[in-house]
Amino acid sequence: MTSIYAAAFFCATLILLNLVSIGIAMVRTRLKMRPAPTPAPAPGVSLVRPVCGLDNFCEETLGSSFSLDYPLYEIIFCVARGSDPAAPLVRRLIAAHPQVPARLIVGDEKVSANPKLNNCVRGWDAAKHDYIVLADSNVMMPKDYIQRLLAGFGPTTGLVCSMPLGSRPQNLWAELECAFLNTFEARWQYAAAGVAGGFAQGKNMMWRRQVLEAGGGIRALAAEIAEDAASTKLVRAQGLTVDLVDRPFEQPLGRRSLSDVWMRQLRWARMRRKTFPLHYAPEIFAGAALPCLVAAYGAHALDAGAPGILGAAVLMVLLWHIPEMVLARTAGWHFSWRMPLMLILRDLMLPIMYVDAWFVDNFTWRGNEMSVREEPTAHGG
C-alpha cells in the first residue's frame, strides 16, 4: 500500500501545482478591454526590430510598428545583409509612413555566436531614447504596445518582457505550436515570475538604458548563447527583477510543419538546459505524461485491470488539461475543437524533448548552425 499512497500523493501534488500555475496565469491575463493609459509625462521609446528573411504575416507584423498610439517613439530596423529579402519590405513600410521616425540599419556587428544579438548591436547604439525595446520581427504590436510594457515597471524592475502568444494558426501543426506557446510556456513563465522571479523572453524586451549599460551594455549579452538568458542574469546581478506584461503580445503563426514546431521547441529546451540547468531539471514534472504514468502504476498496484489502468490515465488527462482549456478560453487565447488533442500530443512530446536537451547541444536557427557548447564571446569581441 505504501507505493499506492506514494503514487496518489505524487499525482495530487502535481495536480495542485498545475492548478496553482494556471490560477496565477488567469489572474495575470484576465481580459482588459480598455487600452493601457499613456503615462504623463510619456518617456521617449526606441523600438529596435531585427529582421532576417520573410516570416508569415511579415508585412503586417512589421507594419504594426507604425500604428502605435504613443506620442514619442522611433523605429530602428536592423538587417545583417542588404540582400536580405526583408530589406525591400522595410524600406517600403518606412516610405509609406513618413510621419513616424524610422530607419533601416544594414550590417551587423559580430559580438557573439548569436546572429540575432549581432543584428541588434548597431540598432541599440543608434537608439536615442532611454527606454529601448528589442522586439522580434514576427511580433504583432497592438496600439497600446508601449504603454503595456511601461506599465510593467516597478521600483525594482530592470527589464520588462512579454512571451509570444501564438495566434491565427492555419493548420494542425500551428495549433500544436499554440499548445506549446500559450497554456504551457506562457503559463509557466507567469508562475515562475510569481514564485521565484521572472525570466527574460527575447521576443519582446523593454530595457531602461542605464540598466543594460551598467551591466556592460548590449555586448555583455554575448555572455550566453541566448540573449534572454544573459539578460536575466545581468538584471539579477544588479539586484533587480525581470517582470512580465499582464497580457502577452501575439505572434501570428499561419502555417507550420511538425518539423518546424519540433525543432523550435528542441532549440529552446537545449538553451534552457544550458543556461539555467537547475531550473530546467524539474521541467519533467510540468507536463501530464509523468503523472499519467504514475496514476496508471497506482491502478496496476491496486489490481484494477486494464480498464482501471486506462481509466486512471484518462482521469489524470482530464484533471490536467481541462483547467488549461479554461485558461485559454478565459484569457481569450486561441482555442478550437482540436486543441484538446494538441495538448495531449504536446505532453507526449515533452519527455522526449526533455531527455534530448540533456544530451544534444547543436541546433539550427534561421539557417545558422549553432551549439550551446560554444564559448561566449568577450564583451565587444
Side-chain angles (χ1 to χ4, degrees):
M1 291 301 293
T2 300
S3 61
I4 296 172
Y5 289 139
F9 178 78
F10 178 84
C11 291
T13 300
L14 289 190
I15 289 174
L16 178 60
L17 292 175
N18 191 55
L19 291 174
V20 168
S21 70
I22 288 173
I24 292 172
M26 281 185 176
V27 171
R28 291 297 303 272
T29 61
R30 57 189 181 277
L31 284 174
K32 300 175 182 177
M33 303 308 294
R34 294 182 180 178
T38 301
V45 175
S46 297
L47 302 181
V48 177
R49 302 203 73 171
V51 294
C52 179
L54 295 173
D55 296 307
N56 294 336
F57 304 102
C58 193
E59 184 167 1
E60 189 175 353
T61 56
L62 293 177
S64 67
S65 311
F66 296 90
S67 302
L68 305 185
D69 186 13
Y70 193 78
L72 182 60
Y73 75 99
E74 65 172 348
I75 312 167
I76 303 172
F77 297 99
C78 305
V79 64
R81 296 173 299 278
S83 60
D84 192 289
L89 170 60
V90 170
R91 292 190 176 99
R92 289 199 305 272
L93 289 170
I94 292 173
H97 301 86
Q99 76 282 5
V100 179
R103 52 185 154 154
L104 172 64
I105 293 177
V106 178
D108 60 3
E109 180 178 330
K110 298 293 191 296
V111 301
S112 74
N114 181 344
K116 183 175 121 179
L117 176 61
N118 297 340
N119 200 13
C120 288
V121 171
R122 293 181 63 192
W124 176 277
D125 290 343
K128 67 181 183 181
H129 297 300
D130 288 333
Y131 283 87
I132 304 175
V133 178
L134 305 180
D136 285 3
S137 59
N138 52 18
V139 171
M140 183 68 70
M141 295 182 173
K143 290 185 178 297
D144 63 346
Y145 176 80
I146 292 176
Q147 291 92 324
R148 282 157 64 174
L149 284 166
L150 288 171
F153 279 92
T156 63
T157 303
L159 174 63
V160 173
C161 298
S162 170
M163 63 290 286
L165 181 68
S167 67
R168 294 158 66 176
Q170 294 179 346
N171 68 347
L172 185 68
W173 306 124
E175 291 205 68
L176 175 62
E177 187 153 28
C178 285
F180 275 103
L181 293 176
N182 301 355
T183 57
F184 183 72
E185 290 168 0
R187 180 250 299 199
W188 281 109
Q189 275 197 263
Y190 279 125
V195 175
F199 291 81
Q201 226 291 352
K203 190 65 64 173
N204 302 269
M205 298 196 298
M206 176 178 269
W207 287 93
R208 286 186 292 130
R209 182 191 295 273
Q210 61 267 36
V211 172
L212 185 50
E213 296 298 341
I218 191 168
R219 292 162 182 82
L221 302 186
E224 298 284 350
I225 188 64
E227 77 284 351
D228 42 17
S231 298
T232 301
K233 294 178 181 181
L234 184 149
V235 168
R236 291 181 178 177
Q238 298 181 46
L240 301 173
T241 61
V242 176
D243 292 318
L244 304 174
V245 297
D246 283 340
R247 290 170 290 157
F249 303 119
E250 291 186 17
Q251 178 189 340
L253 300 177
R255 300 185 66 83
R256 289 285 192 271
S257 69
L258 177 58
S259 175
D260 290 337
V261 178
W262 177 257
M263 295 309 299
R264 182 184 191 186
Q265 295 300 322
L266 280 180
R267 170 167 58 90
W268 285 3
R270 291 167 187 170
M271 288 194 289
R272 291 197 304 275
R273 186 269 302 170
K274 167 64 175 178
T275 54
F276 291 100
L278 294 180
H279 292 90
Y280 180 73
E283 282 194 22
I284 189 62
F285 302 110
L290 193 58
C292 283
L293 285 175
V294 173
Y297 166 77
H300 171 73
L302 285 171
D303 295 324
I309 294 171
L310 178 61
V314 170
L315 177 61
M316 283 300 304
V317 168
L318 295 175
L319 291 174
W320 199 271
H321 287 146
I322 287 177
E324 267 196 75
M325 291 184 271
V326 172
L327 169 61
R329 297 301 296 267
T330 57
W333 298 347
H334 172 77
F335 189 82
S336 75
W337 66 269
R338 291 181 292 269
M339 287 305 294
L341 299 177
M342 294 302 98
L343 297 178
I344 295 172
L345 177 58
R346 177 204 70 197
D347 283 359
L348 290 173
M349 296 167 68
L350 283 172
I352 304 172
M353 292 179 174
Y354 178 83
V355 173
D356 170 279
W358 285 109
F359 295 100
V360 182
D361 297 313
N362 300 325
F363 61 89
T364 301
W365 182 77
R366 291 185 180 268
N368 296 281
E369 295 293 332
M370 301 173 66
S371 172
V372 298
R373 292 178 60 87
E374 291 175 355
E375 292 297 320
T377 304
H379 299 357

